[in-house]
Amino acid sequence: GTNISTTSFVNTDSDPTTHGADYRQYTVTFNSGSNTSVVIFVGYTTPGTASFINVDDMDMELAGSNLIQDPGFEASSSLSPYWSVGGSPTSDGIDTSSADSHSGNNDGFIYDDSGTENPVNLSQTITVTANTSYVITGWIDAYNTTGGLLGVRTTGGTNISTTSFVNTDSGPTTHSADYRQYTVTFNSGSNTSVVIFADYTTPGGASFINVDDMSL
């Protein structure tokens, strides 16, 4: 019954009806110490009036097991050397405002207002074990994008698995509350390295994606 580590969650739902958009992700880091079993929990004190919590998509993993380098874009003032940009967006880089990020101070972004349709992407090459199942998760804030995909492909450019992301930002200013989490499950097959990516086709007008808190 002794708490090892906790984080506070806040009220994000406006009324007594559950809304999928009002979920927020929370993270707790802990060391197991001498314990060989622990209890994970979500709890609160009822205020004496109607109240609820909805819990979903729980996950526990070993710290340091993330195969993605600079997953939260906090390690560098530029996308390189960890991340690469494909296509020719008007601008790309690291946002350094917590108001634009999903968590922390930074996130990676691609922005385009070139006036022409243009496929662009943000990617990273990852070393993997052959014939092994993996799960990618990532948070994306998208504005005015076409055909947005979070996914994984071979180093030769063949898509292995993807999931579509949608426009959640009313734009053209980035809003941290408009991030949504997306998940891609894949098997590496015979590959010992793969490319994870977030890409879309610019529609000819201003558009952007902000990417944060990636995990593999």
Side-chain angles (χ1 to χ4, degrees):
T2 301
N3 286 352
I4 298 172
S5 183
T6 65
T7 192
S8 297
F9 58 82
V10 297
N11 293 314
T12 53
D13 207 311
S14 58
D15 62 31
T17 303
T18 302
H19 301 95
D22 292 320
Y23 281 87
R24 297 294 181 271
Q25 187 183 49
Y26 300 93
T27 301
V28 178
T29 302
F30 72 96
N31 187 289
S32 57
S34 61
N35 300 287
T36 56
S37 63
V38 295
V39 178
I40 62 171
F41 68 91
V42 183
Y44 72 102
T45 300
T46 64
T49 56
S51 61
F52 66 81
I53 55 173
N54 292 74
V55 183
D56 202 1
D57 298 329
M58 298 289 290
D59 178 60
M60 185 166 78
E61 59 187 44
L62 286 172
S65 62
N66 193 351
L67 298 179
I68 298 174
Q69 297 188 78
D70 196 15
F73 301 89
E74 307 286 343
S76 175
S77 59
S78 64
L79 291 171
S80 63
Y82 305 109
W83 295 90
S84 300
V85 175
S88 302
T90 304
S91 62
D92 56 75
I94 302 289
D95 273 329
T96 57
S97 169
S98 59
D100 296 339
S101 66
H102 173 256
S103 69
N105 292 319
N106 296 357
D107 63 86
F109 76 90
I110 298 175
Y111 173 82
D112 190 83
D113 62 1
S114 60
T116 59
E117 291 188 358
N118 180 27
V120 295
N121 66 75
L122 187 63
S123 68
Q124 183 177 138
T125 301
I126 308 290
T127 299
V128 294
T129 302
N131 301 306
T132 302
S133 294
Y134 292 92
V135 178
I136 300 169
T137 60
W139 290 82
I140 298 175
D141 176 11
Y143 167 69
N144 199 28
T145 65
T146 302
L149 293 175
L150 175 68
V152 58
R153 61 176 180 250
T154 67
T155 54
T158 301
N159 285 354
I160 299 172
S161 183
T162 64
T163 191
S164 299
F165 60 80
V166 296
N167 293 312
T168 52
D169 205 312
S170 56
T173 303
T174 304
H175 302 97
S176 60
D178 292 318
Y179 280 88
R180 295 294 181 271
Q181 189 181 45
Y182 300 92
T183 301
V184 179
T185 301
F186 72 97
N187 188 286
S188 55
S190 61
N191 300 287
T192 55
S193 62
V194 295
V195 179
I196 61 168
F197 65 88
D199 71 8
Y200 74 97
T201 300
T202 65
S207 62
F208 64 76
I209 58 172
N210 292 70
V211 181
D212 204 2
D213 295 331
M214 297 289 293
S215 175
L216 174 62

